[in-house]
Amino acid sequence: AGLDEVYDGNVIVDGEKYISFKERTSIRYSKIAYMNQKDDLVLEMTVKENIEWIKSLSNSSYDVNCFFEKFQLKDIENHYPHELSGGELSLICLLKNILLNRKYILLDEPNAKLDSQRKIYLNELLLSLSENYSIIVVSHDMDFIDIADTIFHFEHKRVIARKVDELLINDNSFF
């Protein structure tokens, strides 16, 4: 994901430049929550224990029960990560990153393992979270285009940023 090593350019977050590995690590753990495609839960802990542990490390007031109900996960609280489906694991990892209560949430293919109904719920959740957080989603899935403020299109090591509007949504040649 390029979060640790800078190959070209600068890392600037909130107007501050971070040059050294130590500085980048510091900013990553203080301002950025990152959900990669791997499921990074503690395997020896139940879902509930994983969530309680993360919540104890942050000052989040996020309603965990509401999340579990919305995504129909109430019955897996006492399960271990190896007992969950790929979609369930992804959602629990997403919840973990929300609970970290960081200004920026980076999500790498967050809906890749979700069924169609949970994808809809995810988009609704991301829209509501975007009121308080800056959310960056990396995805090949066009489902996010309707809720995005800006789309970044990567091509030949170049980034092109465009504002989302009807013209862009209908212009599939861009993608």
Side-chain angles (χ1 to χ4, degrees), residues 129-141:
L129 289 172
S130 69
E131 295 173 16
N132 298 308
Y133 303 95
S134 294
I135 301 171
I136 300 169
V137 177
V138 176
S139 181
H140 295 91
D141 194 329

Side-chain angles (χ1 to χ4, degrees), residues 49-106:
E49 291 167 338
N50 268 283
I51 296 307
E52 287 173 352
W53 174 62
I54 292 298
K55 203 164 181 180
S56 74
L57 300 175
S58 71
N59 59 352
S60 177
S61 60
Y62 188 77
D63 186 354
V64 173
N65 289 325
C66 181
F67 183 94
F68 275 90
E69 287 174 23
K70 180 76 170 177
F71 286 97
Q72 301 165 347
L73 299 172
K74 206 73 174 128
D75 59 334
I76 66 162
E77 286 182 310
N78 294 314
H79 287 74
Y80 290 89
H82 72 275
E83 299 173 318
L84 306 179
S85 71
E88 291 167 339
L89 280 168
S90 291
L91 290 169
I92 299 304
C93 290
L94 173 62
L95 175 59
K96 183 187 98 167
N97 281 283
I98 293 168
L99 291 174
L100 290 172
N101 202 29
R102 303 217 175 114
K103 184 174 180 176
Y104 302 99
I105 302 174
L106 277 60

Side-chain angles (χ1 to χ4, degrees), residues 103-139:
K103 184 174 180 176
Y104 302 99
I105 302 174
L106 277 60
L107 306 171
D108 187 2
E109 300 285 0
N111 66 356
K113 301 173 189 172
L114 301 181
D115 59 45
S116 58
Q117 186 60 53
R118 285 181 172 165
K119 285 182 180 184
I120 293 169
Y121 292 158
L122 176 63
N123 280 0
E124 292 170 358
L125 174 66
L126 294 179
L127 267 176
S128 69
L129 289 172
S130 69
E131 295 173 16
N132 298 308
Y133 303 95
S134 294
I135 301 171
I136 300 169
V137 177
V138 176
S139 181

